[in-house]
Amino acid sequence: MSPISTSFFVCWSTYDLGIGARRETLGHVIIAVAAECGSHPGILTLMQALQDSRMGIYRVQERDGARVRLQDLATDHTCTAVCASGYSGRVGELWYTRVLPPPLTSADHVVFTSPYVLTAPDVSAWTAYLDRAASKKPAGARAETLEQHFK
């Protein structure tokens, strides 16, 4: 079996693989067609959340049953999430995954793709990597630079 999960590949090929001068994705096209066809606004909002999402490296800060508290190493933001695959990991684990915003105002974030557990290198090496990736642009644009890097 390929180490690339189906959930990772489908999200990457639909929402991250930009082509052409404007780097449009299949997700952009699907959203435009769905809007033109009169799709429900809630569906368009969900599709836009998928389009706006990206893979990232997250540290598991705590677990509470099926819920996990994650820290995004690129932005330092934290969120409470439910992992769609059912895996809740261990405190301190590093995950490479895609986290979506809450589908409802009172809900948790959703770990949408099966998390890849990063066993090496350690968090300091990943942070150093992110610092190098961010240093290619002006200092004030760190978060935006890393968002694009992962996209």
Side-chain angles (χ1 to χ4, degrees):
M1 181 177 172
S2 169
I4 304 297
S5 71
T6 301
S7 63
F8 173 88
F9 182 77
V10 169
C11 284
W12 171 80
S13 62
T14 304
Y15 301 109
D16 297 337
L17 178 61
I19 58 172
R22 295 188 333 186
R23 308 300 300 159
E24 283 185 302
T25 65
L26 182 56
H28 288 119
V29 174
I30 291 169
I31 292 167
V33 170
E36 190 64 29
C37 291
S39 291
H40 188 279
I43 296 297
L44 294 173
T45 299
L46 176 59
M47 288 191 293
Q48 190 63 54
L50 283 162
Q51 179 59 53
D52 294 342
S53 72
R54 61 160 173 84
M55 294 295 288
I57 300 173
Y58 298 85
R59 181 180 5 202
V60 178
Q61 292 187 313
E62 64 181 272
R63 292 176 31 199
D64 180 17
R67 300 168 72 210
V68 292
R69 183 114 180 116
L70 300 173
Q71 174 193 16
D72 185 338
L73 294 187
T75 64
D76 208 33
H77 292 126
T78 61
C79 68
T80 301
V82 174
C83 186
S85 72
Y87 180 69
S88 59
R90 293 189 313 265
V91 171
E93 262 182 357
L94 294 177
W95 290 0
Y96 182 60
T97 194
R98 183 179 300 264
V99 177
L100 298 179
L104 305 170
T105 56
S106 62
D108 293 323
H109 285 70
V110 177
V111 177
F112 190 70
T113 59
S114 301
Y116 291 90
V117 178
L118 304 174
T119 57
D122 64 10
V123 69
S124 62
W126 281 112
T127 302
Y129 167 75
L130 295 172
D131 289 344
R132 284 191 309 274
S135 71
K136 297 175 183 175
K137 302 282 179 154
R142 177 186 169 81
E144 184 179 309
T145 299
L146 291 174
E147 294 274 342
Q148 272 307 111
H149 180 73
F150 280 110
K151 197 67 168 154

